[in-house]
């Protein structure tokens, strides 16, 4: 029996379209050295200065010169482990797919990479990509996007 989901009326709906669900070869623990964002200098003071990081460039800037009490700056020490960089919490790495031929590249790497269908791919080609991904046992991240209920 397939695991289904219950609706508000109590009857159970069974998902007919199965998705490939391989497990990653190695699932390492992802350790982030810094989880909170480093904000841009004076972004709290002026509305015109956004919070996204920009390097300070002023010739007399005390922030650029790293005086005490000026707050953290971006530097290489905050970089993440090379082996877990760009890794998703599931243990896979993303690979953007635009057509069925792109899936063939993941044939031997289906336990290291998962497919993500590009945003500009229409429903008809998405359906073909999903069918081929199921045959090759490749996980698709956004498999349910842009598909109508009766097509699934």
């Amino acid at each position: 029996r397939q695991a289904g989901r219950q609706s508000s009326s109590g009857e159970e709906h069974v998902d007919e379209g199965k998705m490939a669900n391989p497990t990653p070869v190695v699932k390492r623990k992802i350790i982030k050295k810094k989880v909170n964002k480093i904000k841009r200098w004076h972004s709290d003071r002026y509305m015109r200065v956004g919070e996204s990081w920009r390097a300070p460039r002023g010739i007399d800037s005390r922030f650029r010169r790293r005086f005490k009490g000026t707050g953290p700056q971006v530097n290489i020490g905050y970089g993440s482990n090379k082996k877990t960089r760009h890794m998703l919490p599931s243990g896979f790495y993303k690979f953007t797919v635009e057509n069925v031929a792109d899936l063939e590249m993941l044939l031997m790497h289906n336990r290291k990479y998962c497919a993500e269908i590009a945003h500009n791919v229409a429903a008809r080609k998405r359906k073909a990509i999903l069918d081929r991904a199921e045959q090759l046992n490749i996980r698709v991240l956004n498999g349910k996007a842009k598909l109508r209920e009766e097509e699934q």
Side-chain angles (χ1 to χ4, degrees):
R1 183 182 155 207
Q2 277 185 321
R5 58 182 190 273
Q6 285 191 340
S7 68
S8 57
S9 61
E11 70 254 4
E12 205 172 276
H13 296 287
V14 177
D15 294 331
E16 290 166 14
K18 270 183 27 188
M19 280 220 225
N21 198 15
T23 55
V25 180
V26 181
K27 189 170 180 189
R28 291 188 173 89
K29 186 162 172 54
I30 300 170
I31 297 167
K32 304 275 187 193
K33 291 184 189 171
K34 189 162 189 72
V35 286
N36 49 344
K37 293 245 187 215
I38 298 175
K39 292 183 183 174
R40 186 176 175 184
W41 178 242
H42 280 329
S43 65
D44 56 333
R45 186 178 256 203
Y46 304 109
M47 288 293 291
R48 64 180 178 263
V49 179
E51 283 190 355
S52 63
W53 175 255
R54 299 286 191 279
R57 300 198 193 282
I59 54 171
D60 295 328
S61 170
R62 57 201 192 98
F63 187 64
R64 182 188 57 78
R65 295 192 288 168
R66 297 173 194 264
F67 282 19
K68 256 196 279 188
T70 53
Q73 286 196 36
V74 171
N75 66 54
I76 198 66
Y78 291 125
S80 57
N81 183 352
K82 221 179 209 179
K83 291 181 176 167
T84 60
R85 195 176 299 154
H86 305 299
M87 184 188 279
L88 301 172
S90 62
F92 287 97
Y93 293 94
K94 261 190 218 177
F95 182 80
T96 306
V97 171
E98 292 181 349
N99 52 44
V100 180
D102 287 350
L103 275 179
E104 307 298 326
M105 287 188 260
L106 299 180
L107 177 63
M108 301 297 289
H109 307 287
N110 65 338
R111 294 189 60 206
K112 185 167 183 166
Y113 293 93
C114 61
E116 182 184 45
I117 303 173
H119 76 282
N120 55 347
V121 177
R124 183 174 54 177
K125 202 186 275 187
R126 274 175 191 269
K127 197 159 173 28
I129 289 171
L130 287 172
D131 292 341
R132 186 63 179 144
E134 178 116 20
Q135 292 167 6
L136 298 175
N137 194 28
I138 296 170
R139 183 184 288 200
V140 180
L141 289 178
N142 52 353
K144 291 194 166 80
K146 289 192 185 182
L147 289 178
R148 285 201 213 109
E149 283 298 317
E150 61 267 14
E151 289 176 348
Q152 291 179 2

